[in-house]
Amino acid sequence: MGKRNPEKVASLHEKLADKMEERGLRSTSQRRLVCDVFFRSSGHHSVDDVLALVHRRDPKIGYATVYRTLKMLVESGLAHERHFSDSLARFEVTDAEGHHDHLICVSCNAIIEFEDDEIERLQERLAKRHGYQLVRHKHELYGICLTCRRQGVDSA
Amino acid sequence: MGKRNPEKVASLHEKLADKMEERGLRSTSQRRLVCDVFFRSSGHHSVDDVLALVHRRDPKIGYATVYRTLKMLVESGLAHERHFSDSLARFEVTDAEGHHDHLICVSCNAIIEFEDDEIERLQERLAKRHGYQLVRHKHELYGICLTCRRQGVDSA
DNA sequence: GTCGCTGCAAAACGTTTGCATTTAG
DNA sequence: CTAAATGCAAACGTTTTGCAGCGAC
């Protein structure tokens, strides 16, 4: 959960303002706060993660508002919703440079993002071969990271 | 949801009997029925799907039994649990020939299973390159199938 | 002033569990 | 006889929703 650089955060707020105007949505203090918290920290956050950060600045904000705001960000294309092996949704800021997939440590939950053009190409080919026009895909690799392996976590 | 051929069904029942004996589990009429229904029809079934089929032969069987039985099949290695884009779990009979991934039509939910050695190889390479020892992966391609495309379903 | 947004609490959803009862071994 | 499995209903964790009041525009 690193921090995103301030220029990028500002640009995300701008992009959001545009999108919200387009869609006729109102800019409330709660939305501004939730989005700011979310934009500032990189990584894959659950609703609870975001709510906890939000509560440090305003403890009165409710669950539902965070859910609704993150959903709005997804609809506006500024966030992606992910479902890894745990049962809850995680959100990440949409990467302007485009799509990526995930390599997840089953032991410590560290997440590495990857992009592999060759795999993407093979996916396209495979879909086409079966008559499918590819819309999106989910590619998650679960493994044990080097650190965990060194600490003697075994794959059982 | 096709049907599986009778010899294969019989062989699944045998394999299950072995596994259950190994684990000291009891063969009840409910378990036999749930497993028989599940083994007979190929495809990716939700708990409700299975329960509906089961109820045609015995309406007294409860939700919990089906959940517990499918879970037992997963633990015994005879079934796999999948989570596609809808929120519920789907189960399929474990394919003796080994692992496969899925190509899913976002319009009609048709599912094609695929296996691509080259993609598998690239995944391994990618994980290794990041210091991960691969344990498992999830690879789902969502697209529009030929039939739906011909019927004018567009990708929007 | 209107209509969208908030916060709360309640409902919904798929899944799991506690428990009294039944049943396999 | 005993321990495991069943069926019910209630609990669970996450997400969504209804609604009265509040606040952006």
Side-chain angles (χ1 to χ4, degrees):
Chain A
M1 313 232 175
K3 291 192 192 303
R4 180 168 282 97
N5 89 52
E7 293 100 70
K8 181 72 183 167
V9 173
S11 116
L12 286 165
H13 277 294
E14 270 177 54
K15 214 177 289 180
L16 177 59
D18 289 354
K19 286 283 179 188
M20 288 181 67
E21 181 157 8
E22 244 177 74
R23 305 176 59 204
L25 303 177
R26 292 178 182 175
S27 171
T28 65
S29 66
Q30 294 93 330
R31 280 187 176 167
R32 283 190 297 270
L33 177 50
V34 172
C35 294
D36 193 54
V37 155
F38 180 64
F39 290 162
R40 281 177 128 87
S41 70
S42 63
H44 302 78
H45 305 286
S46 66
V47 173
D48 283 329
D49 293 342
V50 176
L51 187 65
L53 291 169
V54 163
H55 274 178
R56 303 223 285 244
R57 291 212 247 159
D58 182 351
K60 287 196 296 304
I61 288 180
Y63 249 58
T65 299
V66 176
Y67 267 102
R68 290 191 271 231
T69 304
L70 289 172
K71 196 178 180 183
M72 180 207 46
L73 288 175
V74 171
E75 285 162 2
S76 302
L78 280 138
H80 273 290
E81 184 174 347
R82 308 274 181 195
H83 293 263
F84 299 132
S85 50
D86 46 7
S87 54
L88 40 65
R90 294 185 174 279
F91 297 83
E92 66 177 319
V93 173
T94 300
D95 196 333
E97 297 88 54
H99 163 84
H100 63 254
D101 292 297
H102 299 88
L103 179 51
I104 302 141
C105 178
V106 294
S107 167
C108 68
N109 291 309
I111 299 174
I112 290 180
E113 297 171 354
F114 69 85
E115 221 185 310
D116 188 310
D117 293 338
E118 206 173 341
I119 293 178
E120 304 273 321
R121 199 174 46 73
L122 289 172
Q123 285 179 171
E124 278 293 348
R125 203 183 65 184
L126 198 145
K128 196 159 289 171
R129 203 189 297 143
H130 286 93
Y132 277 57
Q133 179 188 322
L134 215 51
V135 170
R136 65 196 161 84
H137 69 264
K138 185 190 276 195
H139 199 180
E140 290 157 19
L141 307 181
Y142 293 88
I144 307 173
C145 73
L146 200 56
T147 314
C148 287
R149 213 129 25 85
R150 283 197 179 129
Q151 288 169 5
V153 179
D154 66 277
S155 50
Chain B
M1 312 234 176
K3 292 192 191 304
R4 191 179 319 279
N5 88 52
E7 294 101 68
K8 180 73 184 165
V9 172
S11 118
L12 286 165
H13 276 294
E14 271 178 53
K15 213 178 291 181
L16 177 60
D18 290 352
K19 286 284 178 186
M20 287 181 67
E21 180 157 8
E22 244 178 74
R23 304 176 59 204
L25 303 177
R26 292 176 183 178
S27 171
T28 63
S29 66
Q30 294 93 330
R31 280 188 176 164
R32 283 189 298 270
L33 176 51
V34 172
C35 294
D36 193 54
V37 156
F38 180 64
F39 290 162
R40 281 177 128 86
S41 70
S42 63
H44 302 78
H45 306 285
S46 67
V47 173
D48 283 330
D49 293 342
V50 176
L51 187 65
L53 291 169
V54 163
H55 274 179
R56 304 223 285 246
R57 290 213 248 159
D58 181 351
K60 287 195 298 303
I61 288 181
Y63 258 111
T65 298
V66 176
Y67 268 101
R68 289 189 273 231
T69 304
L70 289 173
K71 197 177 179 184
M72 179 207 49
L73 288 175
V74 171
E75 286 161 2
S76 302
L78 281 138
H80 273 290
E81 185 175 345
R82 310 274 182 195
H83 293 262
F84 299 132
S85 51
D86 46 6
S87 52
L88 39 67
R90 293 185 174 279
F91 296 84
E92 66 176 322
V93 173
T94 299
D95 195 334
E97 297 89 54
H99 163 83
H100 62 255
D101 292 298
H102 299 87
L103 179 50
I104 302 141
C105 179
V106 294
S107 168
C108 69
N109 292 309
I111 299 175
I112 290 181
E113 298 171 353
F114 70 85
E115 221 185 309
D116 188 309
D117 293 339
E118 205 173 344
I119 293 178
E120 303 272 321
R121 199 175 46 74
L122 289 172
Q123 285 179 171
E124 277 293 349
R125 202 183 66 181
L126 198 145
K128 196 160 289 173
R129 201 188 300 143
H130 286 94
Y132 277 58
Q133 178 188 323
L134 215 50
V135 170
R136 64 196 162 84
H137 69 265
K138 185 190 275 195
H139 199 180
E140 290 155 21
L141 307 182
Y142 295 88
I144 308 174
C145 73
L146 200 56
T147 315
C148 287
R149 211 127 28 83
R150 282 195 180 128
Q151 289 169 4
V153 178
D154 66 276
S155 51

